[in-house]
Amino acid sequence: MTVLSVRGLTVRFRMRESAPVRAVTDVSFDLAAGECLALVGESGCGKSVLASALLGLLPGNAETTGSALLAGAGDDPATDLITADEATLARTVRGRRVGLVPQSPAAHLTPVRTVRAHLTETVRRLTGTRGRDALRTATEAAARVSFPAGHLDRHPHELSGGLAQRAATALALVGDAPLLLADEPTTGLDRDLVERTVDELRRHTGSTRALLMITHDLAAAARIADRVAVMYAGRLVEIADAAAFFGTPGPRHPYARGLLDALPERAFRPVPGRPPELAALPEGCAFAARCAHADTACSAQPPLTGGLACHHPHTAPTDLVHPPQAAEAPRA
């Protein structure tokens, strides 16, 4: 069962005094029930814009084209998240059919309400549970992400960044939405909590549920992902099975290999150069200026074919044979 099918998703931001910002360009992928897809890439490559587009949360100067078909659930028909109106998204999609772990949780929490109040109201709204049952379910949701019970009656400004992140994760899990979008869900967490949090997100997947995790944490992706999608300058440049990506033969795109090379467990060598400005992208391969293999062929944009967009992919087995260290995660 396909939970989400994205085709040709493109997002442009109109700017008054400069060229449009090409934040996302022609992105296509499918996400199946029971699957975790990790979307990785440097800051500013368009990952969070893609998530916001799926939820209809882009600012007014955004122009979005393409489609993102969310499978129907119960009495709800399949919905194109890109063309759906705000009323549909607010009433039937957000929280109920698509859960969000936001990148900046403090901005999504009401400052005058405690964490317990946030969770209890979300339980009531999404499940219809009332009274003591709602309070118990709220407490259980907090426990799922290791949020300490002694902090449930604190307000958002009284929480550390890590606690705010765990509160937001608990809120996203309440509705058991078919699609869970987790945008940097491990920000501010120590390694033990990173592993416990992503394991809980992984447990969310099942026969009708899937997880799209946007992350810089490649060790977390290696721990729970089934597939990895690498984004660069607004485009997908590689989609691969996680086992092959983090092990042997490794990534095929030079940029994806560079991301792994930058890890302390690997070569600890950063990708040279800087990403291009999204308002001034080259006509050809956007990575060419940073790539040791670039030549005249790279003046043309390579299409994403067979999960790869590159004129000069790596074909030899990688010499980076040790994946990020992570214990085996439970699988749904």
Side-chain angles (χ1 to χ4, degrees), residues 9-260:
L9 180 58
T10 297
V11 180
R12 300 284 183 264
F13 292 109
R14 301 184 305 275
M15 309 301 289
R16 289 184 177 179
E17 299 182 3
S18 67
V21 173
R22 294 184 278 174
V24 177
T25 300
D26 197 25
V27 166
S28 298
F29 64 88
D30 290 324
L31 184 57
E35 182 182 27
C36 170
L37 175 65
L39 182 62
V40 303
E42 291 169 295
S43 296
C45 70
K47 304 185 305 295
S48 294
V49 172
L50 187 152
S52 295
L54 295 178
L55 285 165
L57 296 177
L58 293 173
N61 67 329
E63 295 178 344
T64 308
T65 58
S67 64
L69 194 65
L70 178 67
D75 295 332
D76 295 319
T79 302
D80 186 345
L81 300 175
I82 305 305
T83 60
D85 58 34
E86 173 60 24
T88 298
L89 292 171
R91 287 198 306 263
T92 69
V93 173
R94 298 186 194 123
R96 291 175 172 82
R97 296 170 60 193
V98 181
L100 173 66
V101 181
Q103 185 176 27
S104 301
H108 287 72
L109 298 173
T110 303
V112 297
R113 305 182 72 182
T114 65
V115 174
R116 191 189 307 275
H118 277 94
L119 285 167
T120 303
E121 177 58 27
T122 301
V123 169
R124 291 169 179 161
R125 180 171 58 87
L126 297 183
T127 70
T129 307
R130 296 288 186 270
R132 292 184 178 179
D133 288 341
L135 288 171
R136 182 177 63 254
T137 302
T139 303
E140 292 170 350
R144 288 174 66 182
V145 296
S146 302
F147 189 93
H151 291 62
L152 281 170
D153 293 315
R154 295 190 175 187
H155 293 82
H157 73 275
E158 299 175 294
L159 304 177
S160 66
L163 284 177
Q165 188 70 51
R166 279 183 270 171
T169 302
L171 288 165
L173 292 171
V174 164
D176 282 330
L179 175 61
L180 185 62
L181 297 181
D183 191 357
E184 300 292 353
T186 61
T187 299
L189 305 182
D190 62 34
R191 181 48 50 184
D192 179 62
L193 280 173
V194 165
E195 294 179 356
R196 291 165 69 179
T197 298
V198 297
D199 287 352
E200 188 60 46
L201 293 174
R202 174 72 210 195
R203 278 190 283 270
H204 173 83
T205 63
S207 61
T208 60
R209 300 191 300 271
L211 169 64
L212 175 60
M213 182 172 72
I214 296 169
T215 185
H216 289 92
D217 190 336
L218 293 178
R223 184 175 177 85
I224 69 167
D226 297 294
R227 288 188 299 148
V228 179
V230 182
M231 201 166 187
Y232 185 77
R235 292 180 179 270
L236 291 185
V237 297
E238 184 168 358
I239 302 178
D241 288 339
F245 185 88
F246 291 110
T248 301
R252 293 180 291 164
H253 196 284
Y255 172 66
R257 290 173 68 92
L259 290 179
L260 291 190

